[in-house]
Amino acid sequence: RLGWKTTNLGKKWNAIHEGMIFDSDMFSVLVNPDDPQVLFASACTGVYRSDNGGLKWTKLKNGLPTEARRTRTLHLDPSDSNTIYAGTTMGLFVSHNGGTSWQKLTLDVVINSVAVHPENSQIILVGTDDAGILKSSDGGSTFQAANQGFVHRQVAALNSDPNREDLYYSSVNSDGEYGGFFYSRDGGRSWSTYNEGLEESVGSIGDILPSKRSRKVYLATPRGVHFGTPSQQPWRTIEATAQLMVHDMTFADTRESALFLATSEGVFHLDLTTETATHLIIPDYPDEVHAIFYDPLNNQIFVGTDQGVFRSSDGGRAWQKKLSGLPGSPVNVLRKSGTRLFSGTRKGLFASDNDGNQWSRSKGIHPIDIVDIQVNPQAENQIFATDSVEGQLFYTANGGDTWEVIPLGTYSSRIAALSFSSSGRLLVGTNSDGIYGIVPPTEFANGR
């Protein structure tokens, strides 16, 4: 874990870690080109300097806060060997005197790599955990995002506004300030963040549900349901749900006066007028519910659990197991197209033509963890699905009788979320490559 040195092309190695905190993981070593005896090392315990080729090390502290001990990378200014940049878990630091003293250049963002222009040291690029690439043109006094043509967002949820064709919503997973809720008013060409009021839920939004009757948007998070209007009304937590980890949700009636929630504690009915939550107990299954679908035409609720699917036909007062034909694995997502119900499980996609009484495996999709299913609102026979393992895009043009895989060519990022706009445009959210828009093949628009 500590440093090692060879003077005979690798035939023999000697440990060089005297002066370092024991068990320090070393991430990088720099050699001063003007004096090879001067070395710098970054480690999980901070930044070190050696003046005798690594025989003894001294920890550098002046200007480096104690909480910034994990230093992932070091970089020497190519035009000034006394100028050293340290990329830490607390930001970017610089020393202009060989490490004697340091000053902070960026906000608290995790720095993974640093590059300085070889002919103009005023230009500095840094690679970060969740802010992409930051660039400075003034020697580090200021930094701006330099991500045009480079996307780095892990999309967790997608949806489109039912009343405005070009208004899209998305959420981005993050452990820092760059995740949260995003919206686009121009069909996805540009995006804005809106996290006011989200606080601790900012980087963990699992589902987005826009209203058809107002401009409100509801968010499912590990700390309950939040609602607000992007750029107009700050997000507010519905307190009755604050202790619930909400995975999925749907409106409980066409008036949008209530929600059904799939949570870590089971199924809940949330009255949006009184903001009260009622536990809809499933006697045979008291555990976590992952997915929920409500069919208003037949007044049926379907929920996906670790055991399979349960159904209620009386608003959640009584429940029946609907497991016949299912593989006995967790159900991630439920969708309906016409009279056909789809269940995305960890062992593949299944369909039922009799409200869940009997299930059959969908032809053309091998046993794989299906995490999303979306039906084209302009052509219900056209359905798309994706998985969490390979991130493939599956589609059917005949309502699910047979499925195929859409070739993605050189595209490499796994697909994580799907959503259709009201015009029939498919939105594809990825694990590391942002959001794409796909116009479904015209030959399938009418189910051919």
Side-chain angles (χ1 to χ4, degrees), residues 360-382:
S360 59
R361 183 179 295 278
S362 296
K363 297 178 181 179
I365 299 181
H366 55 286
I368 199 168
D369 190 19
I370 300 296
V371 293
D372 205 354
I373 307 164
Q374 290 294 330
V375 180
N376 189 337
Q378 299 297 317
E380 67 176 17
N381 280 336
Q382 187 181 85

Side-chain angles (χ1 to χ4, degrees), residues 193-442:
T193 58
Y194 191 68
N195 292 325
E196 186 176 351
L198 284 180
E199 299 173 348
E200 294 179 351
S201 299
V202 67
S204 51
I205 300 167
D207 189 28
I208 302 171
L209 181 63
S211 168
K212 293 181 180 179
R213 301 172 67 89
S214 70
R215 293 193 174 185
K216 288 182 180 178
V217 178
Y218 296 87
L219 307 179
T221 81
R223 292 175 175 83
V225 176
H226 301 255
F227 72 92
T229 303
S231 78
Q232 297 179 26
Q233 179 188 9
W235 302 106
R236 182 170 73 83
T237 305
I238 297 179
E239 289 301 325
T241 68
Q243 303 302 314
L244 296 175
M245 180 181 292
V246 182
H247 302 304
D248 194 13
M249 58 187 173
T250 183
F251 287 113
D253 54 56
T254 56
R255 303 187 311 277
E256 298 184 354
S257 64
L259 293 172
F260 287 125
L261 309 178
T263 82
S264 57
E265 305 300 322
V267 185
F268 283 78
H269 176 275
L270 176 62
D271 189 311
L272 295 176
T273 303
T274 62
E275 296 192 2
T276 56
T278 303
H279 192 184
L280 306 180
I281 298 174
I282 303 176
D284 295 333
Y285 184 81
D287 299 319
E288 189 168 22
V289 175
H290 307 291
I292 192 162
F293 179 83
Y294 176 61
D295 181 356
L297 295 178
N298 299 304
N299 191 31
Q300 292 179 326
I301 312 167
F302 297 89
V303 297
T305 73
D306 286 338
Q307 295 180 3
V309 176
F310 288 77
R311 186 186 75 193
S312 174
S313 300
D314 59 4
R317 289 184 291 275
W319 296 87
Q320 301 85 38
K321 292 181 181 179
K322 298 297 175 183
L323 311 179
S324 181
L326 289 177
S329 65
V331 174
N332 302 315
V333 58
L334 293 163
R335 295 285 187 269
K336 203 169 188 180
S337 174
T339 60
R340 180 167 289 178
L341 181 66
F342 292 94
S343 173
T345 80
R346 289 188 185 175
K347 294 185 178 180
L349 181 65
F350 292 78
S352 173
D353 291 320
N354 53 15
D355 295 326
N357 292 322
Q358 181 66 41
W359 297 88
S360 59
R361 183 179 295 278
S362 296
K363 297 178 181 179
I365 299 181
H366 55 286
I368 199 168
D369 190 19
I370 300 296
V371 293
D372 205 354
I373 307 164
Q374 290 294 330
V375 180
N376 189 337
Q378 299 297 317
E380 67 176 17
N381 280 336
Q382 187 181 85
I383 310 162
F384 290 77
T386 192
D387 70 274
S388 68
V389 180
E390 300 172 1
Q392 298 183 99
L393 187 59
F394 304 96
Y395 81 92
T396 176
N398 51 28
D401 291 341
T402 57
W403 293 78
E404 299 180 37
V405 177
I406 292 182
L408 299 177
T410 58
Y411 175 82
S412 60
S413 181
R414 286 184 296 146
I415 297 171
L418 303 172
S419 180
F420 270 102
S421 70
S422 58
S423 64
R425 185 188 189 201
L426 179 66
L427 306 179
V428 176
T430 71
N431 275 330
S432 61
D433 206 21
I435 298 172
Y436 288 78
I438 297 177
V439 178
T442 55

